[in-house]
Amino acid sequence: MPTSTTPAALPAATIVGYPRIGAARELKRAEEAYWAGRIDRAEFDSRTRELRRATRARLVELGLTGDAAVPETYSVYDQVLDAAATVGAVPARFADVVTGALDVDDLFTLARGDAEHPPLEMTKWFDTNYHYLVPEIGPDTAFGPALTQAVDLFREAREDGVTTRPVLVGPLTLLLLAKPADGAPEGFDPLDRLDDVVAAYAQVLAQLAEAGAPWVQLDEPGLVADQRVDAAALAQALQRSLRQLARSADRPRILVTTPYGGIGDLLPALLGTGVEAVHLDLTRGELPTVEQLAGVAGVQLVAGLVEGRSVWRTDLGTAAARLQELRDRVERAGGDPEAVGVGTSVSLQHVPHSLTAETALDPRLVETLAFADEKVAEVVRLAGGEVTPGAVDGPRSVVRDWEGVRNGSVWERQAALTDADLDRGPYAAREEAQQEVLQLPPLPTTTIGSFPQTDTIRTARAEHRAGRLDDDGYRAAMREEISQVIALQERLGLDVLVHGEAERNDMVQYFAENLDGFATTEHGWVQSYGSRCTRPSILFGDVSRPAPITVEWSQYAQSLTAKPVKGMLTGPVTILAWSFVRDDQPLGQTAQQVALALRDEVADLEAAGLRIVQVDEPALRELLPLRRADQPDYLRWSVDAFRLATGGAAVGTQVHTHLCYSEFNEVIDAIDGLDADVTSIESARSRGEVVEAIDPQRFDRGIGPGVWDIHSPRVPSQQEITELIERGEARIGARRLWVNPDCGLKTRAYAETEASLEHLVAAAKDARERIGVAAG
Ligand code: GLN
Ligand code: ZN
């Protein structure tokens, strides 16, 4: 039971979370300075302290007033890591370095590893571009309060005069996101430890209560996705964990949030746990029915009506009408309509800080946008009853009439498309035609596209952007880079060459900057993980290609060599996944427009003499809907978009694609459906395990499971590469096997790149000889 001194209700306006990187990326800068030894721990602490103080003050200023209205969502690296560390879930391999009460340095060790300690694995957080650190939990993990950050930050905020609401990833989601620790027995599931982990949470809640926290927020987004356990088991685990927490003697009031989708029929179970408040994502999820709300009496609801992951303004009139409808239903279900508050659908960590920093955006576009601060203001207005339900929202309608948005000729092309546009005919005929053109040896060697991004390249790009280097000077710098990269590949003896992608800051932003229908921001940074941020472009209108984008660079590269050079494009799904996209038409339609633009680029590359084109789709799996029922539709339009982009290529043009993750079982049919002539995938990182998942009967085109893990500077030996090639041969056969690294090389340095590629080429040549001997 909550302690009696706590205020009854959560304020009517709140948010699930807020960006923590800082409007000027203060956290990133402090971290990088600290890691590099430029500042000491005291300076690091004082800088982050100031960031937290400023953030809380800003949220109060924006209208999140009242005790517990401001969530404490600061995290030095990752919120899942924080939760794991709070309850002491530290993998055994860190036993010699991470000991006692954990602190910031321990978090960095867990997140980043060191020479002797591989870090925690990182993976995508639900269907967003944020990455979390995967907890490792085994039968022997000793749970108990460890990191005291939640309590410390609550006390710190109090000193500033703000009573915050501490936030933790909830126990159920923590275990759903965890993987079994090394050495866990076959069949062990981290969920087996639910009772133990909940007991540790109960102790943490007691500490928070003692510190005077009136409320605590437990994030349980695990409830909105289909999980490895079925819905009944999930409901049971949910009730078991939360009831146990709700029953504990000393604790703050509990708000459970369910961001990233609807929880549907799990709502009655959640309402019956004894927690005081429940948040619902009402932008992705439906309004609950009166039946689903049966247990709402005594539970406060937070209506997540402001979309926290898009950059669009909320249609406030519609949101107010839905709020009213929800209140009606709550009343009919026997609850208190006044107790329904307003919030965001998810943490605002997925959007940039504030629109006020953007001075170069078209004002007509700005009118339609809302970043984190503007979204907080929307929540406050809705909660304050300032919006008339159903009122017409002016600015949103402006966007649809603006000539920068609509492009009639794109619509005409879309209307005229037929299935034939997606079809390149039977693979056997393509294979023959391509072999005739390309004359490649068995086990051809290639790379994924980018070569190391050196300081020279970055400087040239920055100088060009700043106007200090003119177009000719910039072009000369890039050409110089390309000729060096081609010369290196020739010297190494690679078979299919690349131009190196020196001209690209980012594989999506580069295309966004060169296509109509996109805007790019100056300061719109969003945390990707740790100190890493991206600046997603905004896809606001019909997409078209005003001029060829990559042709000049690829053509130049091809002019330098007799070997085939691959033209290099980013696929439609990846362009969508890593941008903020318009929400006024189905995603599939937007993907189709991007695909048409790429289709024209493919045609221009062919006309310029390129015989191979690679269309990267590393994000194909990322956008996969969290609910299985929604997946077939997604897979249909995403595969179609790729096929539309590549379907115009001549039979003799070899189409490659690249996917950079190893868990692709769920999308294996889609990868097959892409119908690329050659597919490269990440594989070395998992020691070639991926290869086993490939059914050679079905997947009968070229395939290149990576043989060099490019995620670290380590140089693989020729022997290691040989073993991975042999593993591929054994499963797939030598005939369609390619030899390539896991992914692009842009984060690597030249020293390890050259050494590793030397080994890769030598291993492939040896394997070829072996095959030749066996065949002869
Ligand atoms: N062609 C890109 C590169 O080599 C692919 C990157 C990726 O897969 N994310 O950098
Ligand atoms: Zn990749």
Side-chain angles (χ1 to χ4, degrees):
M1 290 292 109
T3 17
S4 54
T5 52
T6 57
L10 201 57
T14 189
I15 57 173
V16 176
Y18 187 77
R20 54 236 182 170
I21 204 76
R25 286 182 294 160
E26 291 89 342
L27 180 59
K28 175 194 178 70
R29 291 179 208 289
E31 280 172 346
E32 289 175 357
Y34 179 53
W35 296 337
R38 291 195 301 273
I39 61 172
D40 63 10
R41 176 63 193 277
E43 173 66 12
F44 176 78
D45 288 345
S46 99
R47 287 200 199 173
T48 53
R49 168 85 177 82
E50 175 52 26
L51 172 62
R52 293 189 295 268
R53 192 201 57 73
T55 300
R56 296 174 192 127
R58 178 88 187 115
L59 290 174
V60 172
E61 181 190 315
L62 286 168
L64 297 187
T65 51
D67 282 359
V70 172
E72 181 58 78
T73 50
Y74 174 80
S75 173
V76 76
Y77 203 95
D78 167 46
Q79 71 267 13
V80 180
L81 174 66
D82 291 345
T86 298
V87 295
V90 174
R93 68 173 176 283
F94 291 98
D96 57 330
V97 276
V98 175
T99 48
L102 271 56
D103 82 344
V104 167
D105 290 317
D106 297 311
L107 294 178
F108 287 150
T109 305
L110 293 165
R112 308 175 69 227
D114 62 29
E116 287 86 44
H117 303 86
L120 297 183
E121 199 183 288
M122 203 165 52
T123 194
K124 290 266 164 184
W125 171 249
F126 297 89
D127 56 350
T128 72
N129 290 326
Y130 178 75
H131 301 66
Y132 72 92
L133 290 157
V134 182
E136 297 170 25
I137 288 170
D140 307 321
T141 304
F143 295 112
L147 178 75
T148 57
Q149 175 178 273
V151 173
D152 299 344
L153 295 186
F154 177 77
R155 292 211 166 100
E156 176 188 289
R158 270 246 157 123
E159 282 169 25
D160 295 341
V162 184
T163 299
T164 52
R165 183 173 79 243
V167 180
L168 285 169
V169 170
L172 182 55
T173 296
L174 184 74
L175 297 182
L176 286 167
L177 297 180
K179 66 173 194 180
D182 286 343
E186 193 64 35
F188 170 83
D189 189 307
L191 278 176
D192 300 347
R193 301 294 313 276
L194 188 61
D195 290 346
D196 303 322
V197 89
V198 167
Y201 270 82
Q203 294 179 52
V204 172
L205 296 199
Q207 292 173 347
L208 287 170
E210 199 194 312
W215 282 87
V216 65
Q217 171 177 328
L218 299 177
D219 293 330
E220 290 287 11
L223 301 174
V224 311
D226 285 334
Q227 297 289 354
R228 56 185 184 264
V229 295
D230 65 20
L234 198 61
Q236 215 184 24
L238 161 73
Q239 290 210 318
R240 195 186 172 90
S241 58
L242 290 177
R243 280 193 179 146
Q244 198 178 327
L245 281 182
R247 270 199 307 268
S248 46
D250 294 306
R251 63 167 179 87
R253 290 174 180 262
I254 299 173
L255 162 66
V256 174
T257 71
T258 60
Y260 306 105
I263 62 164
D265 287 333
L266 286 175
L267 183 57
L270 181 51
L271 291 174
T273 54
V275 302
E276 285 75 19
V278 165
H279 154 274
L280 299 171
D281 176 349
L282 297 180
T283 62
R284 292 251 172 135
E286 304 288 323
L287 279 186
T289 61
V290 175
E291 294 72 55
Q292 286 171 333
L293 287 166
V296 78
V299 183
Q300 221 186 319
L301 291 186
V302 178
L305 287 161
V306 170
E307 172 63 279
R309 49 195 297 181
S310 82
V311 289
W312 308 112
R313 285 175 58 127
T314 304
D315 179 346
L316 290 176
T318 303
R322 295 184 78 210
L323 180 61
Q324 193 177 49
E325 175 62 27
L326 178 62
R327 287 181 169 148
D328 284 352
R329 291 184 193 182
V330 165
E331 186 159 30
R332 276 189 275 153
D336 175 8
E338 297 301 307
V340 178
V342 178
T344 50
S345 62
V346 302
S347 166
L348 295 168
Q349 75 182 94
H350 307 297
V351 296
H353 270 261
S354 169
L355 207 46
T356 52
E358 300 302 326
T359 52
L361 288 175
D362 188 311
R364 292 168 300 185
L365 178 60
V366 171
E367 284 205 328
T368 69
L369 297 175
F371 291 174
D373 284 1
E374 293 77 25
K375 284 175 189 279
V376 176
E378 290 179 341
V379 166
V380 170
R381 287 190 61 204
L382 274 174
E386 288 173 44
V387 186
T388 315
V392 176
D393 180 36
R396 280 313 298 276
S397 51
V398 172
V399 77
R400 303 199 172 95
D401 299 336
W402 167 32
E403 85 279 4
V405 175
R406 284 218 164 255
N407 182 337
S409 61
V410 174
W411 286 71
E412 277 162 32
R413 277 185 83 182
Q414 286 183 280
L417 290 173
T418 69
D419 283 350
D421 294 313
L422 311 183
D423 194 357
R424 298 182 63 224
Y427 173 68
R430 282 157 26 202
E431 186 182 29
E432 205 184 302
Q434 289 161 21
Q435 189 48 25
E436 174 117 12
V437 175
L438 298 169
Q439 301 282 333
L440 293 169
L443 303 175
T445 53
T446 190
T447 60
I448 306 304
S450 58
F451 266 70
Q453 289 258 334
T454 59
D455 283 344
T456 328
I457 300 174
R458 285 198 207 93
T459 311
R461 262 208 317 265
E463 294 288 292
H464 184 230
R465 218 177 325 119
R468 287 188 294 268
L469 182 64
D470 66 12
D471 288 353
D472 286 345
Y474 175 71
R475 188 172 295 123
M478 291 300 124
R479 283 182 168 234
E480 175 54 29
E481 192 62 37
I482 290 170
S483 65
Q484 285 180 20
V485 168
I486 293 288
L488 172 64
Q489 295 173 89
E490 292 255 18
R491 185 161 61 69
L492 288 164
L494 286 152
D495 301 304
V496 169
L497 312 193
V498 297
H499 78 286
E501 301 179 26
E503 77 288 3
R504 304 184 191 178
N505 39 10
D506 171 280
M507 66 185 284
V508 168
Q509 199 184 330
Y510 180 70
F511 287 89
E513 281 170 359
N514 287 285
L515 289 169
D516 283 346
F518 284 88
T520 45
T521 66
E522 286 168 90
H523 306 283
W525 296 100
V526 175
Q527 186 183 27
S528 169
Y529 64 87
S531 66
R532 292 285 276 271
C533 302
T534 62
R535 201 153 36 106
S537 303
I538 300 172
L539 193 173
F540 64 88
D542 292 335
V543 175
S544 61
R545 189 190 69 140
I549 302 170
T550 65
V551 177
E552 179 189 345
W553 309 122
S554 292
Q555 185 171 26
Y556 177 65
Q558 184 65 82
S559 75
L560 302 171
T561 175
K563 291 199 168 160
V565 171
K566 287 194 271 197
M568 204 56 65
L569 306 177
T570 302
V573 176
T574 301
I575 290 183
L576 257 55
W578 296 350
S579 306
F580 289 115
V581 289
R582 62 194 291 187
D583 60 354
D584 61 342
Q585 67 181 22
L587 267 183
Q589 283 216 20
T590 308
Q592 198 175 58
Q593 296 182 347
V594 177
L596 280 171
L598 294 170
R599 187 181 175 98
D600 295 345
E601 187 75 7
V602 171
D604 285 339
L605 284 167
E606 283 183 307
L610 278 295
R611 291 161 282 170
I612 305 184
V613 177
Q614 178 168 311
V615 179
D616 292 326
E617 278 295 19
L620 187 67
R621 194 188 160 284
E622 273 169 34
L623 275 197
L624 193 69
L626 299 174
R627 297 278 187 203
R628 278 172 213 116
D630 300 330
Q631 292 174 0
D633 180 54
Y634 161 74
L635 291 171
R636 187 160 16 80
W637 69 251
S638 58
V639 166
D640 280 359
F642 181 92
R643 294 178 67 136
L644 179 59
T646 55
V651 170
T653 300
Q654 194 165 66
V655 172
H656 289 220
T657 190
H658 167 69
L659 308 152
C660 48
Y661 39 79
S662 48
E663 297 148 26
F664 67 112
N665 286 328
E666 294 148 293
V667 291
I668 185 90
D669 288 338
I671 297 173
D672 190 40
L674 298 179
D675 198 29
D677 299 307
V678 180
T679 303
S680 62
I681 47 176
E682 177 188 311
S683 170
R685 184 140 62 150
S686 59
R687 309 295 317 138
E689 265 168 45
V690 178
V691 171
E692 309 302 328
I694 299 165
D695 177 355
Q697 303 315 118
R698 289 211 39 218
F699 203 90
D700 61 349
R701 278 148 285 159
I703 184 142
V707 292
W708 163 27
D709 173 8
I710 56 82
H711 300 89
S712 86
R714 206 179 144 267
V715 176
S717 68
Q718 185 178 326
Q719 180 56 29
E720 270 171 64
I721 296 178
T722 297
E723 279 161 22
L724 289 174
I725 295 176
E726 284 173 353
R727 192 165 180 178
E729 275 179 64
R731 177 75 187 166
I732 296 159
R735 202 164 107 73
R736 285 169 179 157
L737 195 62
W738 283 65
V739 179
N740 48 257
D742 267 358
C743 197
L745 307 176
K746 64 166 170 271
T747 56
R748 294 275 59 85
Y750 265 106
E752 70 249 24
T753 295
E754 287 192 44
S756 303
L757 287 177
E758 251 166 45
H759 293 170
L760 183 147
V761 171
K765 284 187 174 154
D766 277 2
R768 254 173 231 162
E769 267 169 39
R770 199 167 22 76
I771 298 164
V773 171

